[in-house]
Amino acid sequence: MNTHQKTYHPYASPFDPCKPLTEKTYSTPPHLYMGFQPPNLPQFTPAEALRAGTLWKDFYDPYFNSFERAKGGPQT
Amino acid sequence: MKQVPAEYYQLMEQLQTVDFVLVELTLYLDTHNDDIEAINQFNHYVKERKHLKKAFESQFGPLLQFGNSYSGYPWNWDDTPWPWQV
Amino acid sequence: MWIYEKKLQYPVRVSTCNPTLAKYLIEQYGGADGELAAALRYLNQRYTIPDKVIGLLTDIGTEEFAHLEMIATMVYKLTKDATPEQMKAAGLGDHYANHDGALFYQNAAGVPWTASYIAAKGDPIADLYEDIAAEEKARATYQWLINLSDDPDINDSLRFLREREIIHAQRFREAVEILKEERDRQTIF
Ligand SMILES: [Fe+2]
């Protein structure tokens, strides 16, 4: 199972004017690992699919901002 | 000011749900044109959308025009609400 | 030809009257990686691409117009009843001076849409790689918009749109695979 978020740690100078962000993240969504989609992948129900934005579970990668995550929203 | 009843939103969402499956299967079949199971699933939902279209239009007027839906009397294609207004 | 359907692709809701958000969302209306650019890019490439992928470009291009209408709906709802004072407070005073409440094909900084946002190289691989990049850039824009927005209903719609970019990128990657193949497509896995 691949992770859909990666992190890196930018160099911080003692002379940087703003408080350094020690960790930065970026998205690596599931399609990057899929290749040509094989047949018969597991599907959402139609109602779930509409909400998810995709019919296939393997492509589902919801993105939440930090406020949503702090409020206990699903983790990305 | 006349507003649409709650049923408008329910029926609309049912249609959006089935149509979304059809959009997803369409794009999938554009690159997988020999997947018979996906084609069967597609045709199944085509049938379901026909029923939903009919049910929606009988209450809330035509969804499509240029002859892709029947018209009521008087001409009701341009009745409000438009999708961005609801 | 195209037939309009009186229906949004996804039920768009807006929780709060917040014209500032509209100013940011317009990036996906008339920005370089926005939905208008996407629709016109794909539909225009259809004329000079191998037959095997014309259907895909047609369908994704058409879906982009449905996304354009979703963005328009959000902007419309966020600014519909805003007074000139509210527009000014939201940083939309300059927009108001030119357009009142009218939508305009421009990016979040007010730069009007231009055809130079769209590449059309005529080389199928170059054009499909452009499309893949465009989808990833649109996905990223939706991430930044979600980061800027505290409206839970808007974020719900933006998440839907971001997920669609993932699917579109997937299909364009498959289109490249189809055009790369030596023979008629064999199963890859
Ligand atoms: Fe897209």
Side-chain angles (χ1 to χ4, degrees):
Chain A
M1 181 69 188
N2 301 291
T3 58
H4 300 142
Q5 189 172 284
K6 305 287 181 289
T7 55
Y8 67 101
H9 304 276
Y11 181 85
S13 159
F15 303 113
D16 287 348
C18 303
K19 189 169 167 284
L21 292 166
T22 53
E23 187 173 280
K24 300 251 292 178
T25 61
Y26 57 97
S27 282
T28 51
H31 69 292
L32 300 179
Y33 307 94
M34 177 67 71
F36 210 101
Q37 182 180 340
N40 304 312
L41 285 187
Q43 295 185 356
F44 287 117
T45 66
E48 288 168 348
L50 181 69
R51 289 295 155 193
T54 179
L55 181 56
W56 292 277
K57 295 181 176 181
D58 289 4
F59 287 117
Y60 183 49
D61 176 41
Y63 181 92
F64 297 91
N65 66 32
S66 52
F67 307 105
E68 291 168 315
R69 266 172 280 153
K71 270 198 260 158
Q75 304 296 306
T76 52
Chain B
M1 179 84 211
K2 199 173 147 272
Q3 291 185 334
V4 288
E7 212 189 342
Y8 172 96
Y9 296 94
Q10 289 156 10
L11 268 174
M12 178 57 90
E13 190 159 333
Q14 283 177 36
L15 189 63
Q16 284 163 328
T17 299
V18 169
D19 282 355
F20 182 68
V21 175
L22 288 165
V23 166
E24 273 287 72
L25 289 173
T26 297
L27 300 188
Y28 172 83
L29 287 165
D30 283 342
T31 55
H32 298 72
N33 56 21
D34 52 4
D35 186 335
I36 179 77
E37 281 183 53
I39 291 171
N40 288 338
Q41 191 187 13
F42 180 87
N43 286 335
H44 166 85
Y45 283 108
V46 168
K47 201 165 172 186
E48 193 163 328
R49 109 157 300 270
K50 275 202 175 124
H51 294 304
L52 282 170
K53 175 178 187 278
K54 206 168 170 187
F56 183 93
E57 290 185 326
S58 69
Q59 285 191 62
F60 303 112
L63 282 160
L64 300 146
Q65 229 14 300
F66 291 152
N68 290 275
S69 293
Y70 287 105
S71 180
Y73 179 86
W75 181 249
N76 53 350
W77 165 242
D78 50 10
D79 286 0
T80 52
W82 290 88
W84 56 90
Q85 298 173 323
V86 299
Chain C
M1 82 173 285
W2 273 264
I3 313 278
Y4 181 73
E5 182 151 27
K6 216 172 176 178
K7 145 187 161 267
L8 294 179
Q9 189 188 12
Y10 184 85
V12 170
R13 293 290 171 84
V14 178
S15 331
T16 49
C17 171
N18 182 357
T20 311
L21 262 182
K23 182 179 161 59
Y24 302 141
L25 291 174
I26 210 81
E27 183 68 32
Q28 279 304 83
Y29 195 64
D33 308 312
E35 302 292 353
L36 179 72
L40 298 181
R41 179 186 297 111
Y42 307 148
L43 294 174
N44 180 62
Q45 287 174 0
R46 296 181 303 159
Y47 305 101
T48 51
I49 207 133
D51 294 353
K52 281 175 178 175
V53 298
I54 293 176
L56 181 68
L57 283 168
T58 303
D59 294 334
I60 295 183
T62 300
E63 188 184 352
E64 304 294 6
F65 278 123
H67 298 170
L68 187 69
E69 191 181 32
M70 286 177 62
I71 295 289
T73 300
M74 291 182 230
V75 171
Y76 165 80
K77 286 195 178 274
L78 286 165
T79 55
K80 173 174 174 265
D81 302 308
T83 62
E85 287 70 33
Q86 285 173 313
M87 292 289 273
K88 205 156 88 182
L92 284 165
D94 32 14
H95 178 92
Y96 181 84
N98 191 356
H99 305 288
D100 189 307
L103 277 71
F104 189 65
Y105 290 115
Q106 62 189 2
N107 73 7
V111 180
W113 189 87
T114 161
S116 58
Y117 290 157
I118 298 174
K121 193 48 73 179
D123 177 275
I125 300 302
D127 282 345
L128 284 170
Y129 271 80
E130 148 100 2
D131 301 344
I132 294 166
E135 294 295 340
E136 301 298 357
K137 287 188 279 181
R139 170 184 59 74
T141 307
Y142 282 119
Q143 290 164 197
W144 315 154
L145 289 172
I146 290 168
N147 289 348
L148 284 167
S149 159
D150 54 5
D151 185 313
D153 285 324
I154 292 271
N155 285 357
D156 178 67
S157 292
L158 296 176
R159 263 190 286 281
F160 172 88
L161 291 168
R162 177 181 174 278
E163 185 70 38
R164 297 311 297 148
E165 310 302 4
I166 291 175
I167 299 301
H168 292 173
Q170 169 70 20
R171 298 295 168 236
F172 284 133
R173 284 160 169 268
E174 289 169 348
V176 170
E177 294 306 313
I178 289 170
L179 296 191
K180 267 164 66 182
E181 271 165 29
E182 309 282 350
R183 284 160 273 118
D184 282 349
R185 188 161 83 69
Q186 73 268 28
T187 313
I188 286 183
F189 288 90

